[in-house]
């Protein structure tokens, strides 16, 4: 759960719970899927493991985000490293400023 991660907070995105750190979205739920934001190399690795593009609107994928495949979602021990990678990725980005 994101609530137990230091430096992370939960708020709603697309009407579903989502994790933010450093002002950036790094993970969340959407309909029946769970998405993460990853750097290029990690996205390639997750895609090879069955991750698919995150498209909250059909035909409009969100860059840098993939849906975790069901076998990973069903195993909390398999989800944890992907959440860690997503969190570490956004923590390296400049803090997001409000418009």
């Amino acid at each position: 759960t994101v609530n137990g991660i230091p430096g992370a907070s939960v708020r709603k995105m697309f009407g579903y719970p989502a994790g933010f750190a450093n002002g950036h979205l790094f993970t969340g739920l959407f309909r029946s899927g769970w998405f993460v934001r990853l750097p290029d190399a990690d996205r390639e690795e997750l895609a090879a493991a069955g991750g698919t593009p995150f498209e909250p609107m059909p035909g409009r994928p969100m860059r840098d985000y993939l849906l975790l495949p069901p076998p990973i979602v069903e195993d909390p021990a398999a989800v944890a490293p992907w959440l860690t990678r997503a969190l570490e990725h956004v923590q390296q980005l400049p803090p997001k400023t409000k418009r």
Side-chain angles (χ1 to χ4, degrees):
T1 170
V2 172
N3 285 331
I5 299 174
S9 63
V10 177
R11 57 185 202 243
K12 295 265 183 175
M13 186 71 152
F14 311 114
Y16 295 88
F20 289 81
N22 209 20
H24 297 278
L25 174 66
F26 74 95
T27 189
L29 302 176
F30 184 73
R31 296 189 182 135
S32 62
W34 190 340
F35 62 88
V36 290
R37 181 179 187 178
L38 298 166
D40 293 342
D42 289 341
R43 274 197 319 279
E44 290 172 16
E45 184 180 340
L46 183 57
T52 55
F54 173 50
E55 295 184 2
M57 292 187 297
R60 309 253 337 244
M62 284 183 65
R63 190 171 48 90
D64 300 341
Y65 295 84
L66 286 180
L67 288 166
L68 295 169
I72 290 177
V73 172
E74 294 162 8
D75 179 2
V79 170
W82 292 108
L83 284 180
T84 298
R85 291 179 188 198
L87 176 65
E88 289 172 350
H89 174 58
V90 299
Q91 287 176 330
Q92 293 173 11
L93 300 173
K96 194 167 189 177
T97 56
K98 294 187 179 195
R99 295 179 188 174

